[in-house]
Amino acid sequence: MKRLLAELRSYIFSNVPGAYVWGMSRAGKTFAFESVIPRLTNRLDEPVFTHIYSANQYFRTTDNKMWTDILQSLNHPLAQQGYAIDKFWRLVGCLADRASLNSTNQALFVIDNAEDWTPTNYHYLKGLFNVLKQRDINLCFVSVGTEELHNWVQNYKGHQAPHLRGRFFVTYHNFTGLKGSSDVQHALKQIDTGDARENIGPGAATSTYVPTAFAHGFRLSTYAPLIWEVFKDIRAKNADDQWPMQYFTSTLEVLLMDVLAPRDTACLEVTEEDVARAIGASHMP
């Protein structure tokens, strides 16, 4: 998650017009964006307005549907009223107002589930981008999706390809789950310290579930190598090289609440069987 925050800050500091972030399904991309957004600032340390829009897939894409959908996501009171052109200018005004909240006129517009969009969506978005740029509004569009999005961007050969890449796909970031015992240990240390909001979620703390063991020196992070090795053994047939955050979080919930909490003693230890049981209960496909 720290890597994602650094990446987004680089987009803002460099005034990148558009980029995309891709990763495997359920890797925790949306949660990660929601977590880092409050900490985004420009070079002057001013807050940067960021909006996460969840893309919809239409049987037939029209600019009217798209502008309505985006305005509704922004809770605009007039999202449904008027023709497509009315909604377009309404959206221009709305985004310009939000971007002007800082002195550099910068904002971040995140398109989640972007693999559901087509070149037509981005063609419409190009018009919005151009008008905002003419008004000196520096809006960075970040498309977020799965490997399907990455493959589409890399292989798209349409006549609009140069225009779209130059605006919306200038660079990219591969968002991964946990990729080794060091990543697992970093996440578990936040569980041990009760500061898990950044990578796991609020309310997760070792001391909450096993207070007796914690008072006698038990720290879940010391078992990071064991937890990672058990994960690798169980997932060997799938050739997994990363642990999606959603399933890692589910594993921790089961491990702490269902497996370890009932055994909370001064000499508590974590076994391979404990970890295997928790992974199995996370329902990772």
Side-chain angles (χ1 to χ4, degrees):
M1 206 169 293
K2 286 184 176 179
R3 292 191 290 267
L4 176 63
L5 178 59
E7 188 76 13
L8 295 179
R9 280 177 172 162
S10 74
Y11 299 162
I12 294 169
F13 289 0
S14 303
N15 212 12
V16 172
Y20 70 99
V21 175
W22 68 279
M24 64 186 298
S25 179
R26 304 301 181 186
K29 299 183 292 295
T30 302
F31 174 76
F33 270 88
E34 291 172 345
S35 299
V36 303
I37 278 172
R39 287 177 285 164
L40 286 177
T41 58
N42 61 14
R43 286 187 176 274
L44 302 176
D45 204 29
E46 299 170 326
V48 172
F49 168 76
T50 303
H51 179 65
I52 299 179
Y53 162 71
S54 184
N56 284 319
Q57 191 174 40
Y58 306 109
F59 177 74
R60 179 173 175 271
T61 301
T62 67
D63 54 347
N64 190 29
K65 289 178 182 177
M66 183 169 146
W67 304 139
T68 300
D69 205 30
I70 295 176
L71 283 168
Q72 285 180 325
S73 75
L74 288 161
N75 297 317
H76 197 288
L78 302 178
Q80 297 275 6
Q81 296 185 22
Y83 296 101
I85 190 62
D86 302 315
K87 297 171 184 178
F88 172 83
W89 288 110
R90 207 168 284 149
L91 182 58
V92 167
C94 180
L95 293 175
D97 288 344
R98 307 291 177 89
S100 63
L101 294 175
N102 59 62
S103 56
T104 54
N105 292 336
Q106 287 182 292
L108 201 71
F109 190 92
V110 180
I111 305 163
D112 200 9
N113 302 315
E115 67 271 9
D116 287 340
W117 265 19
T118 67
T120 300
N121 293 102
Y122 285 103
H123 174 69
Y124 293 145
L125 204 63
K126 184 180 71 172
L128 179 67
F129 172 91
N130 291 340
V131 170
L132 288 170
K133 200 65 180 174
Q134 290 168 4
R135 295 189 174 198
D136 198 29
I137 300 299
N138 300 305
L139 192 65
C140 176
F141 292 93
V142 179
S143 300
V144 182
T146 62
E147 188 174 4
E148 183 181 348
L149 171 67
H150 177 62
N151 292 337
W152 175 79
V153 173
Q154 294 297 310
N155 298 316
Y156 180 54
K157 306 295 184 184
H159 70 282
Q160 289 286 337
H163 301 286
L164 300 187
R165 285 201 174 91
R167 289 171 174 81
F168 307 117
F169 310 117
V170 175
T171 185
Y172 69 85
H173 172 68
N174 182 204
F175 184 93
T176 65
L178 306 180
K179 299 199 73 172
S181 62
S182 61
D183 282 353
V184 173
Q185 186 176 49
H186 177 73
L188 294 181
K189 280 183 177 178
Q190 294 185 60
I191 296 290
D192 288 337
T193 60
D195 187 26
R197 181 179 297 274
E198 181 181 341
N199 280 323
I200 310 299
T206 307
S207 59
T208 301
Y209 300 105
V210 287
T212 302
F214 189 84
H216 286 80
F218 175 87
R219 297 296 183 268
L220 198 57
S221 55
T222 61
Y223 293 93
L226 171 69
I227 292 172
W228 177 253
E229 286 303 317
V230 174
F231 169 77
K232 282 205 310 181
D233 290 343
I234 290 177
R235 304 295 297 180
K237 64 182 179 184
N238 300 80
D240 290 337
D241 65 348
Q242 58 179 287
W243 199 342
M245 186 58 72
Q246 174 176 322
Y247 299 109
F248 177 72
T249 303
S250 298
T251 297
L252 288 186
E253 289 176 351
V254 175
L255 185 62
L256 283 169
M257 298 172 62
D258 300 336
V259 180
L260 299 181
R263 305 201 323 251
D264 182 24
T265 61
C267 56
L268 179 65
E269 293 184 349
V270 179
T271 67
E272 291 184 12
E273 291 75 17
D274 293 336
V275 179
R277 174 186 167 190
I279 292 174
S282 71
H283 304 295
M284 185 173 173

